[in-house]
């Protein structure tokens, strides 16, 4: 008799659902394109993102400079490609940081309940009482305005979302029969959390992580625009917008293209995340 691999069967079903999701495919295509540009930036453009050429400053888009040049004569297309590296790095590292702490706090709060639940959830409520960007600004102001601290700040303000999602998922899973049976036969708490509960709540975590990366990129760009993130001449999209805002009327391409880059990358993550949410939730996707 031929054995059926349930894991492969489930993966194929998920893939088939995703391939029917047109906006999800568009998001995946945009995301994959940005990743390729970031990885192969050195091979795509002959220009250096930091080298200034004042003779060619503020040139409009042309075959030589696809997106024109900025106030220092640097190729904007090149700086946007290299900026994709920075934005993707900030997004992934920030969300990984938030994911690690948020999942830990959510597991502890949801599984043990009682005093642990009260303490953790009140801390989360306090963090949620502050507007996200204001809390991030406050953290960066304390730590110091640089890109590494921007990642930490964006990661910290994203923790409550992951903690609450994980807690809610744990509460719905921990009373199921297989968890009760594991407790009855003496399985340790650590094994129950890591081997029985966590694998069963991974879908909403993946969806939130995907959506969270887009939000993290947008928040990091906002902090850099305010001068609290990457510093010039770093080719970070928010910093590029901040540098070029005074040329909005005379050289609008210096602002339009970095802004479009932020919009497209965040849109890619949002479309991809929405598709994953629909795929993992059979009630919301037919």
């Amino acid at each position: 008799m031929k054995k059926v691999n349930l894991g492969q069967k489930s993966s194929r079903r998920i893939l088939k659902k995703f391939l029917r999701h047109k906006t999800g495919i568009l998001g995946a295509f945009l995301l994959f394109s940005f990743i390729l540009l970031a990885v192969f930036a050195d091979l795509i453009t002959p220009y250096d993102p930091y080298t200034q050429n004042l003779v060619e400053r503020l040139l409009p888009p042309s075959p030589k400079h696809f997106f024109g040049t900025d106030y220092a004569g640097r190729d904007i297309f090149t700086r946007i490609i290299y900026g994709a590296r920075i934005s993707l790095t900030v997004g992934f590292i920030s969300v990984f940081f938030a994911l690690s702490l948020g999942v830990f706090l959510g597991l502890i709060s949801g599984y043990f309940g009682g005093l642990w639940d009260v303490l953790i959830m009140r801390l989360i409520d306090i963090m949620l009482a502050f507007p996200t960007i204001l809390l991030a600004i406050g953290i960066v102001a304390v730590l110091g305005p640089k890109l590494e601290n921007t990642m930490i700040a964006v990661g910290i303000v994203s923790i409550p979302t992951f903690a609450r999602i994980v807690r809610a998922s744990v509460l719905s899973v921990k009373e199921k029969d297989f968890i009760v049976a594991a407790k009855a036969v003496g399985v340790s708490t650590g094994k129950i959390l890591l081997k029985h509960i966590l694998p069963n709540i991974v879908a909403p975590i993946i969806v939130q992580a995907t959506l969270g990366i887009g939000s993290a990129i947008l928040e990091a760009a906002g902090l850099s625009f305010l001068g609290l993130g990457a510093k010039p001449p770093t080719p970070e999209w928010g910093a590029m917008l901040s540098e070029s805002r005074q040329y909005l009327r005379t050289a609008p391409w210096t602002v339009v293209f970095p802004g479009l880059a932020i919009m497209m990358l965040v849109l890619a993550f949002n479309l991809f995340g929405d598709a994953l949410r629909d795929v993992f939730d059979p009630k919301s996707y037919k």
Side-chain angles (χ1 to χ4, degrees), residues 71 134 140 230 250 270 273:
Y71 69 95
L134 291 182
V140 173
T250 56
N270 286 342

Side-chain angles (χ1 to χ4, degrees), residues 72-88:
R74 296 169 298 201
D75 183 68
I76 294 176
F77 178 70
T78 299
R79 288 176 61 78
I80 286 178
I81 292 177
Y82 279 88
R85 286 183 176 179
I86 297 173
S87 293
L88 288 170

Side-chain angles (χ1 to χ4, degrees), residues 115-168:
L115 181 61
W116 284 108
D117 187 32
V118 172
L119 291 175
I120 293 173
M121 284 300 104
R122 294 301 76 77
L123 175 62
I124 296 302
D125 289 340
I126 291 172
M127 295 179 67
L128 290 172
F130 294 92
T132 302
I133 190 65
L134 291 182
L135 182 57
I137 290 173
I139 294 171
V140 173
V142 172
L143 298 177
K146 60 180 181 178
L147 188 59
E148 293 80 2
N149 293 337
T150 298
M151 296 182 196
I152 295 174
V154 173
I156 290 174
V157 300
S158 302
I159 289 174
T161 303
F162 287 101
R164 297 189 71 167
I165 288 174
V166 172
R167 175 182 179 271

